[in-house]
């Protein structure tokens, strides 16, 4: 019970505060948009840059950590896509968007603060290794599958589809932050020394990233009121909160993943669908209501599912 109050609730209280002030009209929609623009396009990419620049690439990018997490993620996508197609009889583009909701966990805005509060800042190395691949890999996969699905009707060549998918991923601020951080990491290993003032400025912006993003997330969630499709939404929440971390946990045990890696992988997998899942659906105009409501309900339900996984993990 103490984990619920000392680890989980503080994070969700910040989200809830953003939701409350947006609901009461004290923080307008334009203010929420401005805050999220700062957080997602500047502060969070800076945080990713700093984390990637200092990550031990040799020790953290290991198969025993990454395979369980990403096998679970793609299994969750497959389950969501198949249920949308065969159980709920959705159209092809809706199936891909619903699968993406099941695939894309909120690894950064929720996964990082909850893991840090549960196990300390030194426990985040595995999280950062997963996050380094998370947006580039999953966005590339999701965009590629959606574009290939749409190409059946548009007649685009496979090469054009691949170029469109890759260019879309490389233009996102989070991916740019990750790639710049990895480049800095390699330059520092080659002997580059940045002045202390540079890192002080990076740290100042980085410290604003998660509080601003969590508060803004509350404001964004206020817009996503659950409407209809409740069985589909429940399925998305089950895939994201139960199926993905369960597969990650089982495979982690099978491959002998160490305690620190298990905590990072399972806690990241157990997070609710991220707002990017809705943004993906909105870009393609597919299953937007399901995506928006799944983000809102999954975030609320994750209070209890994360509590469950914290009790299971060593």
């Amino acid at each position: 019970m103490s984990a619920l109050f000392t680890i989980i609730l503080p994070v969700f209280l910040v989200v809830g505060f953003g939701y409350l002030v947006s609901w009461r009209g004290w923080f307008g929609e334009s203010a929420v948009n401005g805050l999220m623009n700062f957080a997602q396009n500047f502060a969070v990419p800076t945080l990713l840059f700093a984390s990637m620049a200092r990550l031990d690439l040799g020790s953290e990018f290991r198969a025993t950590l990454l395979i369980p997490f990403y096998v679970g993620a793609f299994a969750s996508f497959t389950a969501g896509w198949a249920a949308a197609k065969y159980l709920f009889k959705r159209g092809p583009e809706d199936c891909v968007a619903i699968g993406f909701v099941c695939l894309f966990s909120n690894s950064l805005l929720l996964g990082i603060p909850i893991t840090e509060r549960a196990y300390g800042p030194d426990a985040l190395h595995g999280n950062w290794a997963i996050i380094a691949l998370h947006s580039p890999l999953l966005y590339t996969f999701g965009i590629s599958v959606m574009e290939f699905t749409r190409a059946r009707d548009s007649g685009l060549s496979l090469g054009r589809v691949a170029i469109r998918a890759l260019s879309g991923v490389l233009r996102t601020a989070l991916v740019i932050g990750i790639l710049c951080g990895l480049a800095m990491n390699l330059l520092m290993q080659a002997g580059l020394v940045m002045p202390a003032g540079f890192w002080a400025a990076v740290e100042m912006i980085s410290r604003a990233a998660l509080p601003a993003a969590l508060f803004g997330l509350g404001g964004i969630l206020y817009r996503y009121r659950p409407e209809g499709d409740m069985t589909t939404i429940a399925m998305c929440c089950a895939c994201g909160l139960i199926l993905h971390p369960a597969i990650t946990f089982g495979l982690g045990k099978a491959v002998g993943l160490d305690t620190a890696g298990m905590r990072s992988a399972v806690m990241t997998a157990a997070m609710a669908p991220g707002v990017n899942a809705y943004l993906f659906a909105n870009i393609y105009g597919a299953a937007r209501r399901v995506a928006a409501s799944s983000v809102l309900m999954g975030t609320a339900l994750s209070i209890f599912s994360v509590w469950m996984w914290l009790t299971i993990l060593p």
Side-chain angles (χ1 to χ4, degrees):
M1 181 66 73
S2 62
L4 177 64
F5 292 101
T6 62
I7 296 171
I8 301 171
L9 281 186
V11 173
F12 285 96
L13 283 174
V14 177
V15 178
F17 187 39
Y19 190 101
L20 173 66
V21 297
S22 297
W23 169 53
R24 298 303 300 168
W26 300 331
F27 202 69
E29 187 171 317
S30 60
V32 172
N33 290 337
L35 180 62
M36 289 305 288
N37 182 49
F38 164 72
Q40 291 189 319
N41 293 326
F42 302 100
V44 173
T46 301
L47 173 63
L48 289 171
F49 167 81
S51 302
M52 293 304 118
R54 294 163 176 170
L55 187 66
D56 186 345
L57 301 179
S59 64
E60 293 303 331
F61 283 94
R62 46 202 169 108
T64 54
L65 171 70
L66 299 175
I67 289 176
F69 178 86
Y70 284 107
V71 168
F74 289 118
S76 185
F77 172 89
T78 303
W81 178 89
K85 180 177 176 64
Y86 298 110
L87 185 60
F88 303 118
K89 309 300 182 183
R90 305 291 293 235
E93 293 183 15
D94 278 8
C95 292
V96 177
I98 290 169
F100 193 83
V101 173
C102 301
L103 170 77
F104 203 96
S105 56
N106 199 337
S107 59
L108 182 61
L109 300 190
L110 295 181
I112 289 296
I114 288 176
T115 304
E116 183 176 13
R117 291 191 64 83
Y119 305 113
D122 292 337
L124 295 178
H125 299 301
N127 293 60
W128 293 123
I130 291 171
I131 289 171
L133 300 178
H134 196 254
S135 289
L137 178 61
L138 300 189
Y139 264 128
T140 301
F141 174 79
I143 293 173
S144 298
V145 174
M146 181 65 85
E147 294 293 347
F148 281 127
T149 300
R150 302 176 81 185
R152 296 175 183 175
D153 300 322
S154 65
L156 288 176
S157 66
L158 296 183
R160 290 282 300 276
V161 171
I163 291 172
R164 180 181 294 183
L166 184 61
S167 62
V169 171
L170 293 178
R171 285 198 299 267
T172 62
L174 299 181
V175 174
I176 291 172
I178 290 168
L179 294 178
C180 289
L182 293 174
M184 176 63 74
N185 190 303
L186 296 175
L187 289 172
M188 291 168 63
Q189 290 186 37
L192 177 67
V193 178
M194 298 299 293
F198 171 82
W199 290 115
V202 168
E203 287 297 325
M204 288 175 67
I205 299 176
S206 297
R207 283 195 295 270
L210 292 180
L214 288 171
F215 184 88
L217 177 61
I220 292 291
L221 290 177
Y222 171 65
R223 304 174 189 173
Y224 301 156
R225 300 168 182 82
E227 292 184 90
D229 298 311
M230 291 306 296
T231 53
T232 308
I233 294 165
M235 180 275 298
C236 290
C237 292
C239 286
L241 302 179
I242 304 299
L243 179 63
H244 185 183
I247 292 174
T248 302
F249 182 79
L251 287 178
K253 286 284 190 182
V255 301
L257 181 59
D258 60 84
T259 298
M262 185 72 79
R263 289 170 173 173
S264 292
V266 174
M267 292 309 301
T268 304
M271 294 302 116
V275 171
N276 286 328
Y278 169 74
L279 297 178
F280 179 87
N282 191 51
I283 288 170
Y284 290 103
R288 286 177 289 195
R289 184 168 60 185
V290 171
S293 297
S294 295
V295 172
L296 175 60
M297 295 187 64
T299 301
L301 290 172
S302 65
I303 295 174
F304 305 101
S305 62
V306 168
W307 182 23
M308 179 191 74
W309 287 110
L310 282 173
T311 62
I312 293 173
L313 288 170

